[in-house]
Amino acid sequence: MGMNQRQKDILDWVNQKQRVSVTFLAQTLFFSEMTIRRDLIKLENEGYLKRYHGGAMALSLTELYPIEQRMFINEHEKRDIAKYAEKHLRDNQTIFLPGSSTCAYLLPFMKNYSGLHIITNSVQFLVTLSEMNIRCTISGGEYYAAEKVLVGHAANHFFRSMNYDIAFQGCDGITEDGQISVVREHAAELFRISFTNAEKHIIIADHSKYGVRCTYNVCRVDDADEVIMI
């Protein structure tokens, strides 16, 4: 499974506007409507969006994409966020890094530092960091396939047992008045643990999260040391 640049641009427009027409996409991206329709069929079949007659609409927050699909959404913004967030990395840090598509873009920057110890619940992160020869410890717990993470009581108990120099957290919503929230209960619990056990808290989110309110409130913007949103 993969997307070309045109298909990534289509998905970015769909998620930004929530509902777009084939005509709009064809005129904006300078491709024929026939090409756009073929792309929309492919993207719908792979679970990225929903088509309607004459256009496409974004999935709702209750239909979150699997992480391998979310990696493609607002990809450029996530790369820029990770590049900006690198300023918080130091040698010999113990880092709380739960599995999220935005956090995943931090991984390549970690090879620039020595003595890092990454604590995660992400099986995907464990494999990537091991290939980079970066020390990584993964929690126990029940495997949640959509996000390739371990969750539940065992995972929470593990994370509570450790202290962290810094925690990076993605989120699903940031309202205009500064309330930060997430869709999944297990993600909310990890937020609370990190705010108890980490000395520094950095929240990273792309612009599509702004103005969104989700099920579980986890903190406010002012509670974090920095919120990086592009």
Side-chain angles (χ1 to χ4, degrees), residues 93-145:
Q93 284 178 321
T94 298
I95 300 175
F96 180 102
L97 195 72
S100 80
S101 61
T102 307
C103 286
Y105 283 94
L106 279 167
L107 300 183
F109 293 97
M110 293 182 176
K111 66 179 182 295
N112 300 327
Y113 302 86
S114 63
L116 296 183
H117 184 191
I118 313 304
I119 314 299
T120 188
N121 64 338
S122 169
V123 175
Q124 182 181 14
F125 290 6
L126 174 67
V127 172
T128 300
L129 291 164
S130 296
E131 292 172 349
M132 296 165 60
N133 294 314
I134 294 175
R135 183 184 178 192
C136 181
T137 301
I138 191 168
S139 71
E142 181 180 354
Y143 185 59
Y144 183 53

Side-chain angles (χ1 to χ4, degrees), residues 13-32:
W13 275 112
V14 170
N15 282 289
Q16 179 178 327
K17 296 177 71 67
Q18 295 295 298
R19 185 180 179 97
V20 294
S21 68
V22 170
T23 300
F24 171 86
L25 291 169
Q27 293 175 348
T28 302
L29 301 176
F30 303 103
F31 287 95
S32 71

Side-chain angles (χ1 to χ4, degrees), residues 148-159:
K148 297 185 177 178
V149 295
L150 299 168
V151 301
H153 176 76
N156 296 339
H157 178 76
F158 168 81
F159 282 114

